[in-house]
Amino acid sequence: MTDDNDAPAEVVTEPIFAAGPPLQGAPPGEFEGPRRRARRERAERRAAQARARAIEQARREAKRRARGQTSESKPVPRGAVRGLKMALATILVSVVAVGLGLILYFTPVMSARSIVVTGTGTVTREEVLDAARVQPGTPLLQIDTGAVADRVAAIRRVASARVQRQYPSALRITVVERIPVVVKDFPDGPHLYDRDGVDFATAPPPPALPYLDVDNPGPSDPATKAALEVLTALRPEVAGQVGRIAAPSVSSITLTLTDGRTVIWGTTDRTEEKAEKLAALLTQPGHTYDVSSPDLPTVK
């Protein structure tokens, strides 16, 4: 039986907490949920990994120090990288150039399949080729052009020779022949001399070639050099009239013209001035023209 005077029973409620361990570092009695626990565990794992890496790094540093190596690696300067690239490019280009040179040197890719000879007159092409001694088909880089030129220049009638490679397959030999300016008789026949006093041929002289009257003609003979200096200084119209030039010494040079007139030249001093005075004097009648003193030339 119910007592109506009795008060209703008081309901007491208490807070319900999620199950789980308490949050570390939180006030006592505070618990963490699943998400918070997962974040905490991840943080703990990262911290553990960081500690492990630090320990491994310390171990490596200790090994480097034991080997005498520095633990700090300095960055490579940008200029050094650029210089390294340029050095590698230079090496590559050098290797390619050397390889190409070896190919051209040892193979007939660029060889002397034809030899061109120019400048010859009295000297024949066959003489030049015989002296050059270059075999057709020889790689151009194997041909010593200086040695070939020296061999060709050794021909008696050749004053100089030039040898050029003409890629891809030709060799050009240019010859300059000696030109006779005087002649002198010898027991074996007339010898021809060029303007340097070189005896380069024994043959009949060209028409109107002056006769050289010296004791020992040659490129090193002072009298020969003095006579040729005078002859080459004359005006062309005067030089064409000279039949003989005599130089018993360097101070007593005389010219004999083809018509018999005589020119007393004297020494080689003031040669150009004497040549001008003689060209004017020869327009005057006379037999002997003296220009040994160009300040006072005379006609007799």
Side-chain angles (χ1 to χ4, degrees):
M1 185 174 185
T2 305
D3 189 358
D4 294 336
N5 293 328
D6 292 336
E10 181 179 1
V11 179
V12 178
T13 62
E14 294 180 358
I16 300 175
F17 298 95
L23 181 65
Q24 293 183 0
E30 184 177 351
F31 293 89
E32 63 179 353
R35 294 183 178 178
R36 183 173 295 178
R37 183 171 63 252
R39 287 196 297 270
R40 177 180 57 76
E41 290 175 351
R42 287 196 297 269
E44 290 176 352
R45 285 195 298 270
R46 286 195 293 269
Q49 291 173 356
R51 287 194 298 272
R53 286 194 296 267
I55 293 172
E56 179 65 19
Q57 183 66 24
R59 185 181 64 81
R60 293 178 180 177
E61 291 292 339
K63 285 185 177 181
R64 290 195 184 97
R65 285 194 294 271
R67 295 174 183 174
Q69 298 178 353
T70 178
S71 62
E72 298 181 357
S73 58
K74 297 182 179 180
V76 180
R78 183 176 301 177
V81 175
R82 186 181 300 110
L84 180 60
K85 290 181 179 179
M86 292 182 63
L88 292 176
T90 301
I91 293 173
L92 180 60
V93 172
S94 300
V95 170
V96 173
V98 170
L100 181 60
L102 292 175
I103 292 174
L104 297 179
Y105 188 86
F106 290 105
T107 66
V109 174
M110 290 186 179
S111 59
R113 288 188 284 273
S114 65
I115 300 177
V116 181
V117 179
T118 61
T120 56
T122 306
V123 179
T124 65
R125 170 184 169 85
E126 287 69 25
E127 288 180 281
V128 173
L129 295 179
D130 289 343
R133 299 199 299 273
V134 176
Q135 294 296 329
T138 303
L140 290 175
L141 291 179
Q142 292 187 19
I143 298 174
D144 186 342
T145 55
V148 174
D150 290 341
R151 290 195 294 267
V152 174
I155 298 174
R156 191 177 176 190
R157 284 183 174 269
V158 174
S160 64
R162 183 182 181 187
V163 179
Q164 300 169 286
R165 302 182 185 94
Q166 290 189 328
Y167 297 100
S169 60
L171 189 72
R172 176 179 289 271
I173 303 176
T174 303
V175 172
V176 177
E177 293 188 359
R178 298 187 186 276
I179 300 174
V181 294
V182 291
V183 60
K184 183 174 176 62
D185 289 329
F186 283 90
D188 61 343
H191 287 216
L192 305 181
Y193 293 81
D194 67 359
R195 61 181 300 151
D196 296 321
V198 175
D199 178 1
F200 67 90
T202 303
L209 194 68
Y211 183 84
L212 177 63
D213 188 2
V214 296
D215 292 334
N216 299 298
S220 60
D221 176 52
T224 301
K225 292 192 289 186
L228 294 175
E229 180 182 347
V230 171
L231 191 62
T232 55
L234 298 175
R235 301 295 178 265
E237 65 275 13
V238 176
Q241 302 179 52
V242 177
R244 176 186 292 263
I245 181 166
S249 70
V250 295
S251 59
S252 57
I253 301 171
T254 60
L255 309 175
T256 303
L257 305 185
T258 54
D259 59 5
R261 290 182 293 176
T262 301
V263 177
I264 301 175
W265 192 275
T267 68
T268 55
D269 295 338
R270 302 169 66 180
T271 295
E272 293 293 333
E273 188 177 352
K274 290 179 180 180
E276 293 180 2
K277 295 293 178 65
L278 179 60
L281 284 180
L282 290 178
T283 61
Q284 303 178 22
H287 186 268
T288 302
Y289 300 82
D290 190 344
V291 291
S292 58
S293 177
D295 292 331
L296 188 61
T298 59
V299 179
K300 298 180 181 178

